[in-house]
Amino acid sequence: MFANIRRKASSKDAILNRFIIALAIVLLLSFLLAFFYIPIIRIFEYSFSSETENIGLILKEIITDKVNLYALGFTFLQAFASTIICLILGLPAGYFLAKYDFKGKKLLINLLTVPFVLPPIVVLAGFLVTYGNSGWVNTIWQSVTNSTTPLISIFGTIEGVVLAHVFYNISVIIRLTIPAWESVDYDQVEVSRTLGASKYRIFRKIIRPQIMNSVIAASLLVFIYTFNSFAIVLKLANPTYKTIEVLIYRSVQVSHDYTQASFLALLQLILNSIVIILYIFFDRKSRQIAEGKESNLKTDRFQFRNQEWRKIVRNLGVIFFLMLIGLFTFLPILAVIIRSFIPDKAGNSVFYGYQEFFSNKVVSVLNANPLTLLGNTLWIATISTLITLILSLLIVFILRSRYQSIRRYKTSKTESLISYLIILPMATSSITLATGVYLQYRGSAIFDSAVWVFIIVSHVIISVPFATRTILAAYNRIDVELMNVASTLGASRSRVFRKIVFPMIYKGIIVGGLFSFAISLGEFGATYFLARDEFKTLSIGIYDSISSQTLQIPLAMASLLIIITLLCFYAIHKLGEIELKV
Amino acid sequence: MVKVSIKELSMRYEKKYILEDLVLDIHNGELLVILGESGCGKSTLLKIIAGIIEPEKGTIFFNDADITHQTPQKRNIGYVPQAQVLFPHMSVEQNIKFGLEARKLPKDDVAAKLKWIADLIQIEDLLGRYPREISGGQKQRVALARSMAIEPDVLLLDEPLSSIDASGRESLALSIRRIQKQTETTAIYVTHSSEEARLISDRVAIMYDGKIQQIGKIIDIDLHPMNYLVAKIMGTSNVWPVLYVNENNQGTNISVPIGDVQLQRKLNKKITGIRINPSSFVITDSSVKPDKKIVFQGIVKSIMESDEKTLRVIVDVKDTDSEYIKVDCMKDDLKKELKANTELTLVVDSKEVVLF
């Protein structure tokens, strides 16, 4: 509680510490200012200024434009539908995973999270192979039923978008509600049972109030992720359906209507901020409820011997349900890898895609050398990760160095200011961010000659909230009294950091780093928005070539991304936990 | 050896004073127990002495040096917090060596001091283990060793026994006492348990309302508590707050939660509470009220054997809101056998009522 306390400025240690904090604040703020706040101000400026016509009329036109209204409606509808379906599937899955104990449970929970860190373009590729018109599911369906109409149509339909979003986000619900189920006070359930309450009544009166806040918080997160979805909608639903994100992208890159783009970006920013604020509110409430509670959920094992038939049926049902969720999650990933070995036309080798990939020559469907794309992807991810880690550590450092005594033990002004300053980037979609950067810096020398600088910057701003959360979670697990004791034992601030704090958070730092590496690896929206033919990453390469006749090449690239992501993920699994929350 | 003086120390937490013009002197080499209820500010006081929190107002002297604004690093204190906070990623040995290494002592000295303290606190066999591999009581011994290894001028203990099993408490308390005496270290021990205070203190300071209310030897405070609250914090048996006082022609009538107490004299000071020693009561079954005596009617709640000759009887006083009187009586004096849930009458001489 009383970690770092204000001291007389006479101490050298304190002066140095203040200097470091001031430097950290300056560094952080200049980065955010240059690459986030100034671009966002630019969006405001474009929204409300026009050289020729009356701005009011233009805005009115944008608001009442049918295409825009339609897109707004679709964005809400698909986000809502995706969230509801995620809840219907994810809530029971979360409960079963909390309630039942079995071998490999932790691994399964971790594997279910893989889609969340998978590049959207890889998910698209997986969906194409699994659920596409001539994909596996439809082929099997058609040969079984002898019909010519496909079972699922994912192109130009809302089903396709929702299915992909559920695939992407179901892990968010599962992961965030497992702790909620675990922290329900089951003693209260037992007591109510002895008082004669029915199962439904127990759920409504005892369990629901305890898990509600977590469920709402998780739903709001899923809502915002699906609300901001870009790649999936661009490929699957466009041109029939568009989300606001796609519309912003098209306004800038296709119709060059910057006023409309800015206005929509502003709208997106406001809507996002509202959801994020709601999310923070419910997340805090859920943490207050769970605080200081130990799990007293009695876990069950799947037992079949000497059980009454009802229990056997229930166990089988649960296993079947979890297997379905697993299949739904892993099928598209496996499909990408398997399909990358199936030749598209006779005469091509099984390894055609990989041969082309490693041939070190320009591939015509890509109009680029695939190895260069891989190289670009890896070094962009590496640099983004390093910058992300530095910024996240600075944020953690500033937030935790409360330079005040107990008499002012309220949230300090610096602290709340910085909290707000980093909440806003969280509430910004990648396309809004890219639009701002584009409007601010297009035409500048760096933008023309080294667009990768801005791609890195966007990746950094997108991953900083995740990395910060992960490191902060590790930091908050340290008991402040440890630091107090260390300083009474004579250890200086730097010694306390080196010997106590760092050894206890370095795993968190590595996990945060791996997480941001994975995010950068697959980031599509901002990269696609900013990248041009002369500078592409693997994600963009896959997107460009996935409609071609030779699926083996993009799928080989996608498989490589899957493998790198899985490696990151395996390391994360070994080291600790990622924070899916922002 | 160091004496500690605290002068007019004040501290607010969100506008409410938790310490208010607190004054306290701790003698050279004594073990002072600060006794108070949870949230009375005693932990904050300890953290201020440790230098972890800076006070709003006031001064702290170690001998004659003003250390109020010195960092904890420079104060040379040993601090054992309430929870068992060992550095989890370090072995017991590394934990103990932490303070010695921070002082950049030569390796030989570090090894020598490690051996000395491990021997003194009897934890030689734990040195290679990690905090997760040892018990709560052992952890607290290691925390004590870690703070004593640097040979502190002042040892600060914040409820060191509260987080360990009841069985290990007494032995750890006695170890603390032994080591503190052996090293002649000035020590401040914060707790809410009067039993711990009785077990190890040289002097006790009773704290509430942000101040030290009374300070002295246990026996003196037991006999002459300054007021009702002090007696209550000390955990003394049979103390009751005074509700109101009425002077009448026989003397003074004092109303307390167990009933009215009639004294045969006038009071010359303000009183806050009364105490009646459990052995002052006499159990009778006659309903005749003896002269100049105070009588209570009640129901026997429980009877326990204190030793071969005495019984401790808990009596629920009639017409009160669950007020109990503890009575000690000799078995031989009983005219008939006591039974639970039977009525009885207690008589006490008004001279036996202690006022404070």
Side-chain angles (χ1 to χ4, degrees):
Chain A
M1 187 171 167
F2 311 118
N4 292 295
I5 303 301
R6 195 176 62 94
R7 257 173 242 313
K8 280 233 161 140
S10 56
S11 141
K12 260 191 223 162
D13 207 23
I15 295 176
L16 184 70
N17 199 63
R18 273 187 193 186
F19 176 74
I20 295 173
I21 289 176
L23 194 71
I25 294 180
V26 169
L27 269 174
L28 188 69
L29 287 190
S30 17
F31 185 90
L32 281 180
L33 207 61
F35 300 114
F36 182 75
Y37 282 101
I38 291 179
I40 293 296
I41 291 167
R42 196 65 161 180
I43 290 180
F44 272 86
E45 205 183 308
Y46 266 95
S47 297
F48 297 112
S49 68
S50 170
E51 284 151 16
T52 50
E53 294 168 74
N54 182 343
I55 187 67
L57 276 181
I58 298 178
L59 291 187
K60 196 180 161 201
E61 220 169 84
I62 296 174
I63 295 170
T64 52
D65 183 85
K66 259 198 179 150
V67 178
N68 294 347
L69 279 179
Y70 201 58
L72 191 63
F74 175 74
T75 311
F76 269 105
L77 182 69
Q78 60 82 19
F80 191 69
S82 307
T83 310
I84 295 292
I85 296 177
C86 275
L87 277 176
I88 292 173
L89 295 174
L91 272 183
Y95 175 70
F96 295 142
L97 286 171
K99 178 75 184 162
Y100 287 93
D101 239 345
F102 50 89
K103 240 188 181 175
K105 172 168 130 174
K106 197 186 163 213
L107 187 71
L108 177 69
I109 295 174
N110 272 316
L111 281 177
L112 286 176
T113 321
V114 169
F116 187 79
V117 284
L118 224 48
I121 197 66
V122 171
V123 175
L124 264 177
F127 264 61
L128 202 68
V129 178
T130 320
Y131 306 110
N133 286 343
S134 48
W136 293 2
V137 170
N138 280 328
T139 312
I140 293 171
W141 169 259
Q142 281 163 343
S143 63
V144 170
T145 60
N146 254 335
S147 75
T148 47
T149 47
L151 177 67
I152 314 168
S153 175
I154 57 168
F155 288 102
T157 63
I158 191 167
E159 297 98 277
V161 173
V162 169
L163 192 68
H165 283 167
V166 171
F167 170 81
Y168 232 91
N169 292 301
I170 190 167
S171 62
V172 176
I173 300 279
I174 294 179
R175 272 197 95 124
L176 297 194
T177 52
I178 288 177
W181 287 117
E182 281 173 346
S183 70
V184 168
D185 192 341
Y186 288 91
D187 289 342
Q188 291 181 19
V189 175
E190 305 273 300
V191 171
S192 337
R193 209 173 273 159
T194 61
L195 292 172
S198 69
K199 275 190 176 170
Y200 173 69
R201 198 178 160 76
I202 290 176
F203 178 78
R204 211 166 45 103
K205 294 277 179 187
I206 311 289
I207 298 178
R208 197 181 63 181
Q210 295 189 56
I211 60 164
M212 209 50 200
N213 290 313
S214 301
V215 172
I216 294 176
S219 311
L220 286 168
L221 265 196
V222 172
F223 187 85
I224 202 145
Y225 291 145
T226 50
F227 195 83
N228 291 341
S229 168
F230 174 68
I232 304 276
V233 183
L234 186 67
K235 192 74 190 176
L236 289 182
N238 190 37
T240 325
Y241 297 109
K242 294 184 189 70
T243 51
I244 304 180
E245 289 283 276
V246 174
L247 216 56
I248 298 170
Y249 168 76
R250 290 184 59 87
S251 307
V252 176
Q253 302 290 31
V254 182
S255 55
H256 302 288
D257 184 347
Y258 297 145
T259 310
Q260 166 158 325
S262 307
F263 188 73
L264 290 171
L266 203 60
L267 188 67
Q268 179 89 336
L269 191 66
I270 293 167
L271 292 173
N272 275 337
S273 305
I274 295 171
V275 182
I276 282 286
I277 288 168
L278 282 176
Y279 160 73
I280 290 171
F281 174 76
F282 282 105
D283 183 49
R284 244 178 230 163
K285 266 181 94 171
S286 74
R287 267 184 286 158
Q288 280 162 4
I289 286 182
E291 204 151 290
K293 268 196 210 164
E294 274 177 40
S295 171
N296 63 353
L297 170 64
K298 284 181 206 78
T299 50
D300 257 354
R301 297 192 145 271
F302 291 118
Q303 279 177 349
F304 294 101
R305 245 181 255 167
N306 307 326
Q307 298 287 326
E308 52 175 315
W309 64 272
R310 262 200 235 181
K311 197 153 190 203
I312 293 179
V313 170
R314 195 173 65 198
N315 282 348
L316 283 176
V318 170
I319 292 174
F320 183 69
F321 179 73
L322 288 180
M323 276 171 68
L324 266 188
I325 297 270
L327 186 71
F328 176 64
T329 306
F330 305 130
L331 192 62
I333 302 171
L334 283 176
V336 169
I337 297 174
I338 294 171
R339 180 65 180 78
S340 72
F341 292 107
I342 299 174
D344 299 290
K345 53 186 176 208
N348 275 3
S349 120
V350 172
F351 299 107
Y352 175 72
Y354 294 93
Q355 282 162 353
E356 287 289 296
F357 193 115
F358 292 106
S359 65
N360 201 13
K361 63 183 187 202
V362 171
V363 173
S364 57
V365 290
L366 281 177
N367 198 17
N369 178 344
L371 278 181
T372 317
L373 298 193
L374 177 65
N376 286 346
T377 308
L378 290 179
W379 71 256
I380 291 250
T382 309
I383 297 179
S384 306
T385 303
L386 288 179
I387 302 178
T388 302
L389 282 184
I390 293 171
L391 292 184
S392 304
L393 279 171
L394 286 182
I395 294 173
V396 172
F397 186 64
I398 297 168
L399 286 187
R400 291 302 133 197
S401 278
R402 294 194 179 116
Y403 240 57
Q404 60 203 344
S405 58
I406 181 182
R407 80 189 122 185
R408 290 192 298 156
Y409 190 77
K410 284 178 250 159
T411 321
S412 81
K413 281 190 184 122
T414 346
E415 191 175 345
S416 38
L417 182 70
I418 288 170
S419 310
Y420 285 119
L421 285 176
I422 56 169
I423 283 172
L424 204 56
M426 272 162 53
T428 312
S429 70
S430 53
I431 295 297
T432 305
L433 176 66
T435 306
V437 169
Y438 179 82
L439 293 179
Q440 174 64 26
Y441 292 104
R442 89 197 139 101
S444 70
I446 310 177
F447 197 85
D448 289 336
S449 59
V451 74
W452 51 266
V453 171
F454 296 98
I455 295 179
I456 289 177
V457 164
S458 326
H459 289 188
V460 169
I461 290 178
I462 291 165
S463 34
V464 158
F466 291 98
T468 307
R469 269 304 274 256
T470 309
I471 299 174
L472 209 53
Y475 198 103
N476 286 339
R477 277 194 287 271
I478 305 179
D479 187 343
V480 227
E481 284 280 49
L482 282 180
M483 294 180 244
N484 290 342
V485 169
S487 59
T488 60
L489 288 168
S492 64
R493 270 174 213 278
S494 70
R495 195 179 177 86
V496 173
F497 182 79
R498 272 184 293 123
K499 297 279 179 178
I500 312 289
V501 177
F502 186 75
M504 296 181 78
I505 64 166
Y506 82 95
K507 278 186 183 169
I509 298 176
I510 296 177
V511 169
L514 286 166
F515 199 12
S516 38
F517 190 82
I519 291 174
S520 169
L521 209 59
E523 205 286 327
F524 181 78
T527 318
Y528 186 68
F529 194 107
L530 296 169
R532 287 184 298 267
D533 268 349
E534 61 272 19
F535 190 90
K536 287 196 232 178
T537 61
L538 268 187
S539 285
I540 312 298
I542 298 170
Y543 183 84
D544 285 348
S545 57
I546 201 150
S547 316
S548 71
Q549 291 303 307
T550 47
L551 261 183
Q552 269 189 291
I553 296 173
L555 291 185
M557 296 196 286
S559 302
L560 266 174
L561 274 184
I562 290 177
I563 289 163
I564 302 175
T565 312
L566 279 178
L567 283 178
C568 289
F569 204 79
Y570 181 72
I572 289 173
H573 169 70
K574 283 280 145 197
L575 282 169
E577 276 200 358
I578 49 174
E579 293 281 325
L580 294 191
K581 307 175 186 181
V582 284
Chain B
M1 290 216 288
V2 168
K3 70 171 200 275
V4 181
S5 335
I6 295 164
K7 300 218 181 328
E8 279 150 18
L9 203 65
S10 290
M11 193 75 205
R12 259 177 306 186
Y13 179 66
E14 289 176 349
K15 289 187 183 163
K16 187 182 171 287
Y17 274 103
I18 30 178
L19 304 179
E20 199 175 354
D21 291 330
L22 182 139
V23 177
L24 178 62
D25 284 294
I26 300 115
H27 304 160
N28 267 342
E30 80 165 334
L31 194 155
L32 178 86
V33 171
I34 298 178
L35 188 59
E37 286 166 344
S38 322
C40 75
K42 54 195 194 305
S43 288
T44 305
L45 174 62
L46 212 59
K47 283 193 163 81
I48 290 176
I49 301 172
I52 296 161
I53 303 173
E54 193 175 1
E56 222 164 298
K57 197 179 123 281
T59 356
I60 303 167
F61 294 95
F62 280 7
N63 286 338
D64 294 321
D66 177 355
I67 53 108
T68 316
H69 299 295
Q70 235 175 38
T71 60
Q73 283 89 345
K74 291 188 182 139
R75 293 189 184 197
N76 199 36
I77 39 168
Y79 174 52
V80 180
Q82 185 167 5
Q84 305 141 2
V85 278
L86 297 183
F87 306 130
H89 55 291
M90 296 181 191
S91 68
V92 166
E93 180 177 334
Q94 287 167 320
N95 262 285
I96 298 173
K97 277 155 87 179
F98 186 87
L100 301 169
E101 284 167 349
R103 282 172 167 65
K104 304 207 166 62
L105 293 184
K107 270 198 175 153
D108 293 348
D109 289 8
V110 172
K113 290 204 168 167
L114 173 73
K115 195 181 169 311
W116 164 72
I117 197 71
D119 197 45
L120 189 65
I121 302 184
Q122 300 160 348
I123 47 167
E124 301 98 321
D125 48 335
L126 301 179
L127 291 179
R129 299 215 215 150
Y130 277 82
R132 59 179 177 277
E133 300 163 346
I134 60 179
S135 75
Q138 288 172 325
K139 276 185 207 163
Q140 213 59 323
R141 272 172 197 276
V142 175
L144 180 66
R146 183 176 61 185
S147 62
M148 287 302 291
I150 60 170
E151 295 175 71
D153 290 334
V154 181
L155 176 64
L156 305 172
L157 302 134
D158 189 355
E159 308 226 2
L161 308 185
S162 68
S163 57
I164 64 171
D165 294 342
S167 59
R169 273 185 208 160
E170 197 171 293
S171 104
L172 182 54
L174 294 173
S175 295
I176 292 173
R177 179 64 175 163
R178 174 175 55 84
I179 290 151
Q180 182 264 337
K181 276 284 155 257
Q182 219 163 325
T183 55
E184 301 181 322
T185 313
T186 309
I188 305 172
Y189 183 114
V190 156
T191 182
H192 65 266
S193 147
S194 55
E195 284 164 41
E196 284 173 32
R198 288 170 199 282
L199 200 58
I200 64 171
S201 68
D202 287 320
R203 287 194 305 156
V204 184
I206 310 285
M207 182 172 173
Y208 63 85
D209 283 349
K211 284 190 172 77
I212 300 295
Q213 302 289 346
Q214 191 171 2
I215 185 165
K217 293 214 159 68
I218 279 277
I219 184 154
D220 295 335
I221 300 183
D222 259 344
L223 285 177
H224 308 290
M226 200 179 79
N227 56 30
Y228 166 71
L229 261 172
V230 169
K232 195 172 153 238
I233 292 171
M234 286 295 291
T236 319
S237 300
N238 289 354
V239 294
W240 294 280
V242 170
L243 302 175
Y244 51 86
V245 178
N246 239 343
E247 297 217 347
N248 49 25
N249 41 19
Q250 287 139 37
T252 315
N253 187 277
I254 303 170
S255 179
V256 290
I258 50 166
D260 283 355
V261 174
Q262 178 65 46
L263 302 182
Q264 265 64 47
R265 54 187 160 109
K266 303 262 185 225
L267 298 179
N268 47 12
K269 58 169 187 175
K270 194 180 179 310
I271 57 165
T272 57
I274 66 161
R275 176 166 62 84
I276 304 173
N277 206 318
S279 56
S280 303
F281 290 96
V282 177
I283 298 173
T284 68
D285 45 2
S286 84
S287 53
V288 186
K289 189 183 168 185
D291 196 30
K292 294 182 182 178
K293 300 254 166 141
I294 308 157
V295 178
F296 299 101
Q297 302 282 341
I299 294 167
V300 177
K301 276 288 145 188
S302 79
I303 308 152
M304 282 171 295
E305 212 162 275
S306 309
D307 54 54
E308 280 174 7
K309 289 182 180 164
T310 33
L311 291 176
R312 161 66 58 104
V313 185
I314 312 275
V315 179
D316 186 354
V317 186
K318 254 191 176 174
D319 305 323
T320 64
D321 190 12
S322 291
E323 291 290 338
Y324 296 95
I325 297 177
K326 289 173 189 148
V327 179
D328 284 340
C329 61
M330 308 297 280
K331 282 183 191 170
D332 300 344
D333 294 352
L334 282 175
K335 296 194 179 93
K336 64 173 187 184
E337 205 192 339
L338 283 176
K339 275 189 194 143
N341 293 324
T342 54
E343 287 200 19
L344 90 175
T345 307
L346 294 172
V347 176
V348 69
D349 195 307
S350 64
K351 283 177 203 141
E352 301 279 344
V353 179
V354 182
L355 306 175
F356 44 80

